[in-house]
Amino acid sequence: MIFTDPTTHEKFSITELCNLLKTKISKKNNIYIGADSQERGDKIIIATAVIVYNHNKGGTYFYNREILNAKYFKSLRQRLMYEIQKSTETAICLMELDELCDKFSVHIDINSDNRFKSSIVLKEAKSYILSQGFECETKPNSWASSCVADKLTKIR
């Protein structure tokens, strides 16, 4: 995966991003990882965001965008689990940052309210992330996925 700094447009492999963040973060930082997807015609845009928040001083983020053929996703469940996979894969690659920062959390764009379609994967998605050793936030607290990554899926 290649991540982009939205300010400089500089590109980083996941290893390069991890090495960069190792030199810049401290216990004053939180790291949040989230992914979201958007269907656009016969394409699915998937964005994964890594947000570095500095307590009371704001933050920055890095992102990866993929454009895939919608035919690869036969169901909403499959698409949601792909989002979870992308977030978890990113978190695993950045896992060594967990000890350097105050909080390290994966945010998922899934609602715990069963009136919403995304709730169909809540248990399995949350269990998967927790089993990997990561904290997990769902809607309405999962802003890294439902706000930041969501916005990145809408960029043309």
Side-chain angles (χ1 to χ4, degrees), residues 17-31 51-54 60 62 94 96-104:
L17 180 60
C18 187
N19 290 335
L20 172 72
L21 294 178
K22 274 194 257 185
T23 67
K24 297 199 178 289
I25 65 168
S26 70
K27 288 291 185 184
K28 295 179 181 175
N29 298 112
N30 293 348
I31 295 180
I51 296 102
V52 180
Y53 175 73
N54 188 341
T60 189
F62 301 86
L94 299 176
E96 59 193 280
L97 301 175
D98 188 11
E99 295 177 6
L100 303 174
C101 63
D102 184 38
K103 183 173 185 167
F104 190 90

Side-chain angles (χ1 to χ4, degrees), residues 11-122:
K11 308 247 185 247
F12 301 93
S13 71
I14 191 73
T15 304
E16 292 167 334
L17 180 60
C18 187
N19 290 335
L20 172 72
L21 294 178
K22 274 194 257 185
T23 67
K24 297 199 178 289
I25 65 168
S26 70
K27 288 291 185 184
K28 295 179 181 175
N29 298 112
N30 293 348
I31 295 180
Y32 304 100
I33 298 166
D36 196 16
S37 62
Q38 177 87 31
E39 193 169 352
R40 226 185 265 150
D42 63 344
K43 303 286 183 214
I44 301 284
I45 290 94
I46 298 170
T48 307
V50 175
I51 296 102
V52 180
Y53 175 73
N54 188 341
H55 297 286
N56 301 318
K57 293 185 180 179
T60 189
Y61 68 95
F62 301 86
Y63 69 92
N64 169 268
R65 286 182 81 224
E66 291 180 78
I67 300 173
L68 301 173
N69 194 315
K71 73 179 181 180
Y72 296 126
F73 300 95
K74 305 284 187 221
S75 67
L76 176 62
R77 172 185 293 276
Q78 191 177 24
R79 190 169 116 198
L80 290 169
M81 289 308 294
Y82 189 76
E83 291 174 20
I84 303 309
Q85 177 187 336
K86 297 308 286 184
S87 294
T88 307
E89 177 183 331
T90 302
I92 288 169
C93 291
L94 299 176
M95 187 183 304
E96 59 193 280
L97 301 175
D98 188 11
E99 295 177 6
L100 303 174
C101 63
D102 184 38
K103 183 173 185 167
F104 190 90
S105 180
V106 176
H107 287 195
I108 57 177
D109 192 29
I110 294 177
N111 205 308
S112 57
D113 185 334
N114 63 10
R115 291 179 295 161
F116 295 91
K117 291 179 183 178
S118 67
S119 68
I120 62 171
V121 297
L122 178 66

Side-chain angles (χ1 to χ4, degrees), residues 81 84-85 88-89 92 123-134:
M81 289 308 294
I84 303 309
Q85 177 187 336
T88 307
E89 177 183 331
I92 288 169
K123 275 185 160 180
E124 62 193 288
K126 209 169 170 186
S127 295
Y128 178 66
I129 292 166
L130 294 172
S131 73
Q132 300 298 320
F134 303 116

